[in-house]
Amino acid sequence: MSELSTTQGITPFLWYNGQAEEAMNLYTSLFPNSRIKQLKKWGEGSHMPADQVMMGVIEINGLTLHLFDAGPMFKFTEAVSFFVSCKDQQEIDHYWNALTADGGQESQCGWLKDKFGLSWQIVPAMLTERLSNGDPKRAGQMFQAVMGMQKLDIAEMERAYNQ
């Protein structure tokens, strides 16, 4: 199996407008078990700027992504997001602060856009667990608290669940 092969079968492919290499560097520096697997520029004589990414492949915490620069025709929307399950508040704070830095935007209920416009959900694992397996009434109380938050606060979520 080659270095660029993946057993995922389906691999997200992200379109950037001159920021793919910067995104590759941010994502691989932020998440554990991450690396740049390939970075090939368009080069001289192509229809795109020579220094932009023609083919980028990264792995972030085991997930392979393809990225490239292809101009301003398409933009990211909230209709697609990456869901990051966090073990504790420290991990939530780490990802939230890093992904909203330098022009990222906070949204509601643990959602944000990074500075490239890509949407992320930064969510404690306990939320998924409580919504899936917890008492429905208490999970509903917790979900109402989540609806009023931007960055999710585990202590507040626990209070709402246990009230």
Side-chain angles (χ1 to χ4, degrees):
M1 190 176 256
S2 85
E3 171 69 15
L4 298 177
S5 295
T6 178
T7 57
Q8 279 176 200
I10 298 173
T11 303
F13 199 108
L14 305 175
W15 178 308
Y16 290 84
N17 181 25
Q19 299 171 309
E21 186 172 7
E22 184 181 359
M24 292 170 72
N25 288 323
L26 174 63
Y27 303 150
T28 57
S29 70
L30 182 59
F31 293 95
N33 307 312
S34 300
R35 63 193 173 112
I36 294 174
K37 295 171 76 171
Q38 181 182 31
L39 176 58
K40 182 176 181 182
K41 306 283 180 94
W42 283 101
E44 296 300 327
S46 75
H47 69 291
M48 296 296 293
D51 65 336
Q52 291 188 2
V53 176
M54 179 174 77
M55 180 65 168
V57 181
I58 63 173
E59 187 175 325
I60 55 172
N61 205 12
L63 175 69
T64 298
L65 302 170
H66 289 241
L67 301 83
F68 79 146
D69 288 312
M73 289 74 68
F74 299 107
K75 308 241 185 287
F76 297 121
T77 74
E78 291 85 347
V80 174
S81 64
F82 284 98
F83 185 98
V84 181
S85 182
C86 301
K87 66 182 179 296
D88 56 30
Q89 191 66 48
Q90 182 179 357
E91 197 170 44
I92 290 171
D93 295 346
H94 168 71
Y95 292 128
W96 189 270
N97 294 338
L99 290 167
T100 57
D102 302 320
Q105 299 173 326
E106 296 183 357
S107 189
Q108 295 300 116
C109 306
W111 288 60
L112 62 84
K113 282 186 181 182
D114 66 23
K115 65 182 177 177
F116 312 110
L118 185 62
S119 291
W120 297 81
Q121 297 179 61
I122 310 301
V123 179
M126 59 76 71
L127 174 62
T128 305
E129 174 61 29
R130 295 276 168 77
L131 292 178
S132 298
N133 301 316
D135 174 79
K137 180 178 184 286
R138 294 169 75 191
Q141 293 168 178
M142 182 179 66
F143 193 73
Q144 284 302 314
V146 166
M147 296 298 289
M149 297 178 191
Q150 288 184 306
K151 177 173 66 173
L152 299 184
D153 182 320
I154 293 174
E156 287 298 316
M157 293 165 63
E158 290 282 11
R159 273 193 277 288
Y161 187 85
N162 292 316
Q163 65 181 1

